[in-house]
Amino acid sequence: MNTSVAKLAQISFRSINFTVQGTPVLASELHTSAPLCRVVSGKYRITKKRDKPLTYEMANPPHYIAHRKSWNSWNTSSLKDGLRRSETAVEDEFIRRFMTGTWHGLVCSEVIIKRQFNHIRVAAIMRRAVSPTKMYFLLGYTEELLANWLQCPVTLELQTVDSFKDVVFKYI
Amino acid sequence: MYSNIVITRQISKIKCLCRSLVSIESQKTPQSGASSDGISPPVRIQRGPTDILQALSTTVGIDPTAAHYKYHDDPYLIPLSNYRKRAYALAAEAGRKAAIWIRDEHADLFTTRIWDPPLRKKTPYYNADPKIEAFSPKPIYNDESKVTEEDLIYTIQNALIEDSIKVYQLLGGSQGVSDELKLQLLQLLCFYNEKEPDSVEWLEERWFSANTRERQAATWRLGSLADTIFTSMEPKSPEAYCAIIQGMAKYYQAERAYELSQEAIEKGIPLSTGVYNALLGCIGFLREGATLRIEALKSTLMQMNEQGLSPNIETLSACLRSISVWGGGIQLQNLAMQLVAEFRELGIQPGLSAYYYLLCLFCKERGPRNNILSKILTDLESRERLEVNEPTDTNFFITAMGVCSDHLQDINMAERVHALLMKNNNYKLVGDAYKESIYYRHLVTVACRHAPFEKATEYLDTLIPNIYIPEPSVMEEIIRTLEVAGAGDRLAQAWSQIIVFGHAKRTKLVERLLSALCNCYEYQEEDVKEKIRSAAESILKHGETLEQRDESRDQRSPVSQKLSATALSNIIELLSDVSDKSSERWTSVETALNKLKQEQATGVPSKPESISTLAEKAASMGKLEIAATAVAYLAECGFEEAAGASARVLGAMLNRPEEEVRALLQEPAGALAGSLHPAALAVLHSYHLAKTGTAIRDSESSTSSESDSESSSDED
């Protein structure tokens, strides 16, 4: 919910890069930018019955990032000489969808992704809805599949919580 | 982090800095010693990529309060019983296998690393950069695959038996494959006897596979692919002979192996040391009787000498393995010691397997006490590293600890063994999960029985529950030790441990715990007593939940056993020690007592005086029904204490001194019926029951003369 909006920038008009063979390469790169649509993005409407549960992350709108919130994706791609900015963003999105799909209905928080060298650490809070044996199966499966897909070591760091109510911050 | 900063100025300063850094670095390294001339720095030691990490990891010891690192660090996901440990580890591995299967099935999807549009793809099939073997899909061979000799080489290198057989057949069998490849395939098949080995990748499977000891029976497949390949090879090279003989001997096809070896010797084909080692293992199948076998052993060794082959460490362990299997006796023991001495002269130190076989031979459970273990330990402790040569090396530590526990019953020796295991990297020598549990079982048993109490509790605290979870028999041992030491606190904890470890259904263990709690109850402090009481109540409730579950399942035979009467009386004794009249313990006491009365417990209490004390206490507290039920139960069971107890209880109830009570009891019962409290009446009933063996109602209906005669036969 709170990843900054990705913006497709087509630089074809301003700088057309020619490769050695002379074929034009369209440098369409994904950029990660400051949040757009700042009035409505990342904010939740108050309900009549005041029973919509919000986690702490959801409750704090985007202008609180770096004040009361921190980021969900940690990597060095936005530093000077940082590499693979767009590929990292796509991989992160893949990891998030994979986690939500594999641990279906069990993920109670945002998926945090931290990269250190080539080691990817994925963290999330899960509900204790399935037995520990099943959780271990999903754990081994996710780690192995993501590692083979992304071709780097992946570790999962999960925390379990009794029910979704334990991560609710306020009701709106 | 080292960034690529290029320093363009002050190069001289940098040079000084580098020189000083180099000298500081080399001063820190102890291995290279001093410099040669005192001025120039010693040679730099080359460090591998992970050496610093390894050095750091040796400074961090084991944390006994944390679960093994293969388990996820979350309270819901930490296993606390043996069943769960196994289940969780194998479940994680099953997940990994599922992922690997998906990767291998859809190999075309898992080959890219850079998500490039088609224009940028560098190679047609695989453009992951860098290509990492561990993450790339493994080939699957089935009937349609196109194979070359390289595939055969690949499968042989990676010990994939079924795949290599498949590829071999696809390539055309004996005709289509070159001789050296055939030889390699033959060696592979002989080593594994055409059975797929446990893959190196799946650690947890190997760790938890309780490898049933390979029976010493002929399991070699006759007429199998290995035999056909061997016969098809013309001319038969020495390596082929060696391979097939060793394979047959390894899987106990002794006669064929021996025949083939004789054939080879007649043809003048040189055999290797490995062949003779394997043949030494088979001697037991070819000869019977200790003397003949010893002769055969010696003749094989002489043959080896004639051929000009020098023995190695495996020769020694093969000889000792055979000897240890043939039984015991002074003859074999002397032969073993002779062999060890001779090999030592040759410069071959016995390995861990050799010591394992020696222990098997000398330290039989019911044999005379033998101190060979201490000499073995001195030798092993003096070595810098323990090397692993054979798979049977992992048996050494469990046998050593077993010897300490059963044969020697010595805690100091056990500590030496344990220290040796914990030194450096030796923990890997414990083998697999089954061996680890046996090792710790012996260690805990010897610590409980023969170590001072503080040492035993130290071991228990560090090992349980993360490193080792005691089985029910070891749990009994621990309870006994705690009882002897009078540690009521720990005994109360033991009940919750029993539930967590999954042993709560074992009634015998629970009853043992209860009797231990009863025995050491009086000497405890007040808060410990309270803990013991709550443990007793919890045991009672647990028994009830188990029974309810049984009933709801509607099974023909109940799964769980009921608590015995002794256990229930123990519970009652513990729970009744409250001074507070309104405590809830009394309700539990009542429940337990009712259970006894309704004969829901097996047997009779072994200490009936506890019930009589309960009755008196209950009467003095004012819990008349409880007292009445207790006395009635005693009377029904026919205990001797029933009469005295009922008299005292009546006295307490009616608040009169004892002589008055006795006088009361002498009178005919009918007269008192109207004037007494119902509970007191019940006590009266049971008194008469105890005295006369018949109920009051019968005596009331009888004539007065009978009642007179009955009262005259009173013993009071």
Side-chain angles (χ1 to χ4, degrees):
Chain A
M1 271 302 156
N2 241 341
T3 50
S4 43
V5 173
K7 184 171 73 170
L8 262 177
Q10 291 249 334
I11 324 179
S12 48
F13 285 119
R14 264 172 259 150
S15 55
I16 297 178
N17 301 327
F18 281 88
T19 62
V20 180
Q21 287 105 348
T23 53
V25 171
L26 297 169
S28 329
E29 289 175 357
L30 282 169
H31 284 262
T32 47
S33 66
L36 303 184
C37 310
R38 62 184 177 84
V39 179
V40 296
S41 69
K43 297 178 184 165
Y44 294 87
R45 185 180 295 275
I46 303 177
T47 57
K48 256 194 202 167
K49 286 196 193 149
R50 297 276 179 148
D51 61 356
K52 181 180 173 66
L54 291 185
T55 61
Y56 183 78
E57 278 203 68
M58 292 154 83
N60 288 318
H63 62 268
Y64 280 124
I65 294 179
H67 298 268
R68 294 186 193 169
K69 281 166 65 157
S70 67
W71 291 263
N72 291 344
S73 245
W74 295 81
N75 49 55
T76 55
S77 62
S78 57
L79 303 175
K80 181 179 190 298
D81 298 335
L83 306 167
R84 281 183 104 242
R85 194 163 164 182
S86 41
E87 291 95 340
T88 307
V90 171
E91 280 174 14
D92 281 359
E93 189 56 30
F94 178 86
I95 293 174
R96 291 202 164 90
R97 291 192 188 199
F98 188 82
M99 288 294 287
T100 322
T102 311
W103 303 75
H104 199 80
L106 297 176
V107 185
C108 292
S109 73
E110 298 296 323
V111 174
I112 314 287
I113 303 176
K114 296 194 180 183
R115 281 181 167 73
Q116 287 171 307
F117 292 106
N118 77 334
H119 185 197
I120 303 180
R121 295 162 53 196
V122 180
I125 304 181
M126 302 289 174
R127 285 195 299 137
R128 286 179 194 154
V130 287
S131 69
T133 322
K134 293 189 182 156
M135 291 198 89
Y136 269 101
F137 180 87
L138 289 176
L139 199 67
Y141 168 77
T142 318
E143 281 188 0
E144 196 67 27
L145 201 73
L146 282 178
N148 279 288
W149 183 258
L150 304 167
Q151 305 266 318
C152 346
V154 171
T155 44
L156 245 54
E157 289 158 9
L158 306 177
Q159 184 191 338
T160 55
V161 129
D162 261 334
S163 72
F164 186 69
K165 289 201 187 64
D166 292 327
V167 297
V168 169
F169 177 64
K170 67 183 187 185
Y171 290 91
I172 257 198
Chain B
M1 305 298 155
Y2 303 108
S3 52
N4 295 330
I5 304 175
V6 177
I7 305 173
T8 49
R9 51 199 165 96
Q10 295 178 353
I11 293 183
S12 52
K13 267 200 190 170
I14 301 298
K15 272 196 197 155
C16 285
L17 187 63
C18 289
R19 219 175 287 138
S20 58
L21 276 178
V22 163
S23 57
I24 291 172
E25 222 181 64
S26 31
Q27 273 166 28
K28 275 195 198 148
T29 58
Q31 290 147 314
S32 59
S35 59
S36 48
D37 56 356
I39 299 176
S40 54
V43 177
R44 181 192 176 147
I45 297 176
Q46 295 302 323
R47 301 287 181 199
T50 50
D51 279 356
I52 296 183
L53 287 175
Q54 277 180 2
L56 283 174
S57 72
T58 52
T59 61
V60 180
I62 312 173
D63 177 13
T65 59
H68 195 273
Y69 70 87
K70 69 184 161 203
Y71 300 113
H72 207 77
D73 192 16
D74 185 78
Y76 186 59
L77 297 175
I78 290 179
L80 283 174
S81 72
N82 276 330
Y83 172 72
R84 282 173 190 249
K85 278 186 181 177
R86 195 192 147 94
Y88 294 175
L90 291 177
E93 191 145 275
R96 272 180 226 128
K97 279 191 179 177
I100 295 292
W101 184 87
I102 292 182
R103 179 198 71 186
D104 291 338
E105 272 292 303
H106 303 281
D108 49 336
L109 298 172
F110 281 84
T111 54
T112 59
R113 184 151 189 250
I114 310 171
W115 280 267
D116 291 326
L119 277 171
R120 276 221 201 152
K121 231 189 232 177
K122 299 185 182 73
T123 61
Y125 174 66
Y126 202 98
N127 76 342
D129 172 30
K131 175 171 182 177
I132 303 166
E133 280 305 325
F135 291 139
S136 54
K138 305 278 180 294
I140 307 179
Y141 297 107
N142 48 24
D143 287 323
E144 293 93 36
S145 16
K146 299 182 191 41
V147 290
T148 62
E149 291 215 336
E150 280 175 11
D151 290 305
L152 189 57
I153 295 176
Y154 170 79
T155 49
I156 293 177
Q157 297 278 0
N158 291 334
L160 306 164
I161 306 278
E162 286 156 5
D163 284 341
S164 61
I165 295 180
K166 189 102 210 158
V167 172
Y168 180 72
Q169 283 163 357
L170 284 173
L171 282 175
S174 342
Q175 287 80 34
V177 184
S178 70
D179 270 342
E180 33 184 280
L181 273 183
K182 262 202 252 185
L183 179 64
Q184 285 182 3
L185 184 61
L186 176 67
Q187 286 172 335
L188 181 72
L189 292 173
C190 289
F191 190 80
Y192 285 115
N193 195 16
E194 288 181 52
K195 239 186 343 172
E196 190 82 30
D198 294 328
S199 167
V200 187
E201 236 182 304
W202 308 122
L203 282 172
E204 299 304 330
E205 260 186 22
R206 289 154 73 96
W207 179 251
F208 282 106
S209 66
N211 271 328
T212 51
R213 191 172 276 207
E214 288 162 13
R215 307 156 299 139
Q216 300 231 339
T219 49
W220 177 262
R221 290 188 213 181
L222 290 167
S224 61
L225 188 59
D227 283 336
T228 43
I229 295 181
F230 182 66
T231 40
S232 77
M233 287 179 77
E234 290 296 339
K236 300 200 193 338
S237 60
E239 288 95 5
Y241 264 106
C242 293
I244 194 102
I245 297 174
Q246 277 180 287
M248 287 190 172
K250 181 172 172 183
Y251 293 99
Y252 303 116
Q253 189 71 20
E255 297 110 40
R256 285 275 300 150
Y258 193 64
E259 278 171 24
L260 279 172
S261 67
Q262 294 301 94
E263 207 184 293
I265 294 176
E266 280 160 29
K267 285 192 195 168
I269 296 178
L271 296 172
S272 67
T273 320
V275 173
Y276 279 103
N277 292 345
L279 284 175
L280 284 167
C282 287
I283 291 180
F285 286 86
L286 299 168
R287 305 262 185 275
E288 298 288 327
T291 353
L292 286 176
R293 283 169 170 170
I294 296 176
E295 272 180 34
L297 186 80
K298 290 192 178 161
S299 63
T300 320
L301 286 171
M302 302 275 264
Q303 251 188 10
M304 203 162 113
N305 202 9
E306 282 165 29
Q307 297 266 323
L309 301 165
S310 54
N312 57 14
I313 194 169
E314 282 157 34
T315 322
L316 178 59
S317 44
C319 294
L320 286 175
R321 183 177 72 196
S322 303
I323 295 177
S324 70
V325 170
W326 298 340
I330 296 290
Q331 209 185 7
L332 291 172
Q333 287 181 353
N334 288 340
L335 177 64
M337 295 312 286
Q338 256 183 344
L339 278 171
V340 172
E342 278 182 24
F343 272 84
R344 232 189 261 270
E345 275 176 42
L346 285 173
I348 298 177
Q349 293 282 357
L352 285 173
S353 321
Y355 283 138
Y356 159 64
Y357 293 125
L358 278 180
L359 282 177
C360 284
L361 197 57
F362 281 87
C363 302
K364 298 254 195 289
E365 236 186 85
R366 272 165 241 155
R369 195 189 154 107
N370 194 306
N371 275 328
I372 192 172
L373 182 61
S374 87
K375 290 186 213 132
I376 293 178
L377 282 178
T378 338
D379 181 29
L380 288 174
E381 279 160 7
S382 62
R383 293 192 202 179
E384 210 185 279
R385 288 179 335 126
L386 293 181
E387 281 161 12
V388 185
N389 304 96
E390 282 165 63
T392 40
D393 284 347
T394 49
N395 293 339
F396 170 72
F397 277 100
I398 58 167
T399 323
M401 193 51 84
V403 161
C404 291
S405 163
D406 301 321
H407 189 80
L408 292 174
Q409 292 160 0
D410 185 2
I411 180 71
N412 296 321
M413 203 67 74
E415 284 185 5
R416 276 174 76 184
V417 174
H418 194 58
L420 185 62
L421 184 69
M422 289 299 165
K423 191 167 117 171
N424 300 339
N425 259 344
N426 294 346
Y427 197 74
K428 61 182 188 271
L429 292 165
V430 85
D432 55 45
Y434 182 62
K435 293 198 181 91
E436 193 185 24
S437 67
I438 297 181
Y439 174 84
Y440 280 116
R441 185 195 306 171
H442 288 308
L443 179 59
V444 169
T445 319
V446 78
C448 282
R449 284 188 192 160
H450 303 289
F453 185 62
E454 291 76 28
K455 196 118 218 99
T457 44
E458 206 186 294
Y459 272 119
L460 290 178
D461 285 335
T462 38
L463 293 177
I464 298 172
N466 288 314
I467 303 183
Y468 167 65
I469 290 181
E471 295 93 5
S473 48
V474 181
M475 203 72 206
E476 276 189 42
E477 195 60 47
I478 296 174
I479 291 176
R480 196 190 60 90
T481 317
L482 293 176
E483 182 184 351
V484 161
D489 201 9
R490 282 179 184 266
L491 277 175
Q493 276 175 7
W495 166 242
S496 51
Q497 280 184 339
I498 286 180
I499 296 190
V500 166
F501 298 159
H503 300 325
K505 289 204 185 122
R506 294 179 186 255
T507 336
K508 209 171 126 214
L509 185 61
V510 176
E511 289 176 17
R512 181 80 187 77
L513 178 64
L514 272 172
S515 56
L517 283 170
C518 277
N519 285 342
C520 70
Y521 184 72
E522 295 94 42
Y523 313 108
Q524 305 299 324
E525 293 166 26
E526 214 20 71
D527 52 347
V528 178
K529 281 191 179 175
E530 184 53 40
K531 282 188 202 160
I532 294 182
R533 281 197 286 271
S534 41
E537 197 166 350
S538 159
I539 294 178
L540 186 65
K541 290 208 174 74
H542 185 83
E544 278 173 26
T545 37
L546 276 182
E547 279 168 30
Q548 278 173 4
R549 211 188 299 162
D550 270 349
E551 276 166 41
S552 64
R553 272 199 210 144
D554 194 24
Q555 282 172 326
R556 220 176 287 165
S557 56
V559 172
S560 59
Q561 290 174 308
K562 296 202 177 77
L563 287 173
S564 75
T566 325
L568 279 176
S569 63
N570 282 341
I571 295 182
I572 293 171
E573 187 184 327
L574 289 171
L575 287 176
S576 59
D577 191 39
V578 271
S579 44
D580 184 11
K581 278 186 213 167
S582 54
S583 157
E584 311 91 38
R585 308 279 187 222
W586 286 110
T587 36
S588 314
V589 172
E590 210 174 322
T591 340
L593 199 53
N594 287 338
K595 268 191 161 164
L596 269 181
K597 190 103 197 313
Q598 290 153 18
E599 287 179 21
Q600 281 183 4
T602 52
V604 281
S606 55
K607 287 193 297 175
E609 55 267 13
S610 58
I611 308 256
S612 51
T613 26
L614 162 75
E616 288 164 37
K617 191 150 190 236
S620 61
M621 287 263 172
K623 307 269 184 191
L624 300 177
E625 300 84 17
I626 295 183
T629 336
V631 173
Y633 177 67
L634 279 177
E636 276 171 27
C637 290
F639 283 117
E640 301 168 342
E641 297 85 3
S646 37
R648 287 194 288 276
V649 167
L650 203 54
M653 275 192 201
L654 304 172
N655 226 351
R656 292 181 199 174
E658 208 168 320
E659 304 81 34
E660 277 199 46
V661 175
R662 247 179 249 158
L664 251 167
L665 289 168
Q666 300 291 358
E667 290 170 36
L672 301 165
S675 58
L676 284 178
H677 192 262
L681 197 59
V683 177
L684 200 61
H685 277 272
S686 28
Y687 175 79
H688 279 272
L689 186 65
K691 277 291 158 187
T692 61
T694 58
I696 275 187
R697 239 171 267 142
D698 297 342
S699 58
E700 272 181 6
S701 60
S702 66
T703 57
S704 56
S705 62
E706 275 194 45
S707 66
D708 284 334
S709 63
E710 280 166 8
S711 57
S712 65
S713 65
D714 276 355
E715 290 164 21
D716 241 343

